[in-house]
Amino acid sequence: MKGKILVTGGTGYIGSHTVVELQNAGYEVVIIDDLSNSTKDSIGGIERITGQKPIFYQMDCNDLNELNRVFEENKDIRGIIHFAASKAVGESVQKPLLYYRNNLNSLLNLLDMMQQHAVENIVFSSSCTVYGEPDQNPIDETAPIKPAESPYGNTKQINEEIIRDIVRSGANVRSIILRYFNPVGAHPSAEIGELPNGVPQNLVPFITQTAIGVREQLSVFGDDYNTPDGSCVRDFINVVDLAKAHVEAIDRMLAKKADEKVEVFNLGTGNGVSVLQLINIFEKVSETKLNYKIVGRREGDIEKIWAEPKKANTVLGWTAKENIEDTMLSAWKWQLKLREKGIM
Ligand code: WQD
């Protein structure tokens, strides 16, 4: 084994896919998750894919005593990947205190534990949302950080600053900050995938749930943007590709390859795809006709944003490989599996 990695939020969408890739790469994994936005089924799915059952603690990173117990019981943790956070943009506007308390406090607790237990490495799950509406696309890591458009986005910005400040204080901490664009799709085995609680906030689960009949109709939030077909443009990145970037980041930190103690990477394909284009791609690969209608814009939506992934490609040694057609098909196969299991 290459060592033990702690993954917070490891039963969640991106977390579970990352656990699979860590295990495939030879790491032993400890998951902390409070199951507030996922279920233990993910652990079964992970085990069916890799044959390895991760160590699992059902707990909240905000519970410092419980968190300390994990580190006491796993003294060989070599690094952390921190996913656990509340992440619905719209909900964060309605419940700012929940977002600031959960998202900031959980990171502060982890950084405390790292110092108490001499764990040096943390990969932080951030988001392209920190850039706001880009002045130009594609957008690279030197682009200015804009005032956050939501408490969710603000917690990502503040957490990045907390990490920089603790490193600047001379603490024995190194971090790689990964700014995701739009993670979509599911593991090709259809054993794990995206399963948001309640009505999906994000586009792709809403598409697949509409196609399978769980949702009546998809609302497309605006087609009057300054884009080729009027709908918003995003950089949709396959979740397995995204997971593999986390393994590269852990490998890089354990090998102490970087001079800087905090590195930032944009994780995207570098291709902008519009909402309407994505719907057409989905209809083609799923051989279904999607019931959707154009409605008004959604408050806070960015018009267009896609990544310049050159730094991740050259420095991290990672490149997104999956094409959008196969990615949308993987999302559909996952939805069909959920139906087959009677889950949705
Ligand atoms: C994408 C596009 C919508 C739903 C957010 C966060 C980001 C990350 C991913 C956590 C937009 C349109 C959506 C629908 C629609 N979050 N849409 N109908 O807002 O780009 O990014 O989620 O990791 O940090 O900012 O993702 O999937 O919500 O929306 O038309 O029912 O799809 O208007 O243009 P978003 P999204």
Side-chain angles (χ1 to χ4, degrees):
M1 283 288 181
K2 288 166 67 174
K4 189 181 277 186
I5 304 298
L6 170 62
V7 179
T8 74
T11 58
Y13 174 42
I14 304 169
S16 56
H17 287 82
T18 300
V19 170
V20 163
E21 298 311 322
L22 284 167
Q23 291 180 333
N24 287 344
Y27 287 103
E28 186 185 5
V29 177
V30 179
I31 292 176
I32 287 179
D33 205 298
D34 65 2
L35 303 181
S36 60
N37 196 23
S38 59
T39 69
K40 281 178 80 170
D41 291 353
S42 305
I43 296 175
I46 291 165
E47 193 175 0
R48 285 192 294 277
I49 295 169
T50 65
Q52 299 172 55
K53 190 177 174 65
I55 300 166
F56 174 63
Y57 291 81
Q58 180 176 346
M59 51 162 284
D60 181 346
C61 292
N62 290 291
D63 183 336
L64 196 54
N65 291 330
E66 277 287 273
L67 196 57
N68 187 55
R69 181 166 67 85
V70 175
F71 283 84
E72 289 291 347
E73 294 174 5
N74 297 276
K75 293 193 177 302
D76 49 350
I77 287 173
R78 297 190 63 197
I80 299 171
I81 304 181
H82 181 40
F83 291 107
S86 304
K87 64 156 203 166
V89 173
E91 182 188 48
S92 77
V93 176
Q94 311 306 325
K95 302 177 183 171
L97 294 187
L98 178 146
Y99 273 69
Y100 286 113
R101 185 171 292 112
N102 181 36
N103 292 5
L104 302 186
N105 204 34
S106 54
L107 177 66
L108 293 172
N109 282 350
L110 278 173
L111 293 170
D112 253 341
M113 289 296 104
M114 287 176 73
Q115 295 186 87
Q116 281 187 44
H117 296 275
V119 176
E120 194 179 313
N121 307 299
I122 181 166
V123 174
F124 177 64
S125 164
S126 191
S127 166
C128 63
T129 203
V130 303
Y131 296 118
E133 183 77 57
D135 299 328
Q136 63 182 42
N137 283 296
I139 190 163
D140 69 18
E141 294 80 355
T142 65
I145 302 300
K146 296 252 183 89
E149 316 242 343
S150 69
Y152 160 77
N154 205 22
T155 64
K156 291 300 181 187
Q157 290 183 9
I158 296 168
N159 276 347
E160 289 194 12
E161 287 164 21
I162 289 171
I163 289 169
R164 287 186 195 288
D165 287 345
I166 191 161
V167 168
R168 196 176 294 138
S169 75
N172 196 14
V173 171
R174 319 170 70 88
S175 181
I176 288 183
I177 294 170
L178 300 178
R179 292 177 181 159
Y180 312 154
F181 283 67
N182 285 63
V184 291
H187 193 270
S189 67
E191 292 293 355
I192 53 175
E194 191 169 10
L195 186 54
N197 282 350
V199 178
Q201 300 295 310
N202 293 129
L203 177 62
V204 172
F206 211 110
I207 287 177
T208 59
Q209 289 185 20
T210 301
I212 201 107
V214 170
R215 306 291 160 202
E216 181 59 34
Q217 181 178 58
L218 168 75
S219 295
V220 171
F221 298 136
D223 68 348
D224 58 350
Y225 287 95
N226 179 22
T227 62
D229 61 21
S231 65
C232 292
V233 176
R234 292 290 184 274
D235 186 331
F236 296 104
I237 174 172
N238 181 288
V239 67
V240 175
D241 278 335
L242 188 65
K244 289 176 178 172
H246 291 75
V247 179
E248 296 295 343
I250 284 287
D251 285 347
R252 179 173 173 81
M253 279 203 288
L254 296 190
K256 294 192 182 352
K257 281 187 180 166
D259 299 332
E260 304 153 79
K261 294 190 76 179
V262 180
E263 291 187 294
V264 181
F265 295 98
N266 282 357
L267 297 183
T269 67
N271 306 314
V273 172
S274 78
V275 173
L276 290 172
Q277 282 174 318
L278 198 72
I279 290 170
N280 292 336
I281 290 164
F282 175 77
E283 290 183 320
K284 188 177 74 175
V285 300
S286 64
E287 297 173 357
T288 65
K289 191 85 188 79
L290 193 73
N291 178 14
Y292 68 90
K293 68 176 174 186
I294 309 290
V295 299
R297 295 181 174 192
R298 177 173 70 175
E299 183 71 26
D301 268 337
I302 304 293
E303 178 174 82
K304 51 188 172 229
I305 183 167
W306 64 93
E308 171 45 81
K310 206 177 299 169
K311 185 180 173 189
N313 301 159
T314 55
V315 177
L316 195 55
W318 168 88
T319 301
K321 300 232 183 321
E322 299 301 324
N323 65 55
I324 191 65
E325 288 78 12
D326 292 344
T327 298
M328 290 307 286
L329 185 57
S330 72
W332 180 230
K333 285 180 173 173
W334 164 245
Q335 188 68 62
L336 291 170
K337 178 67 83 82
L338 291 174
R339 169 55 48 91
E340 184 188 308
K341 289 180 171 180
I343 295 171
M344 183 173 278

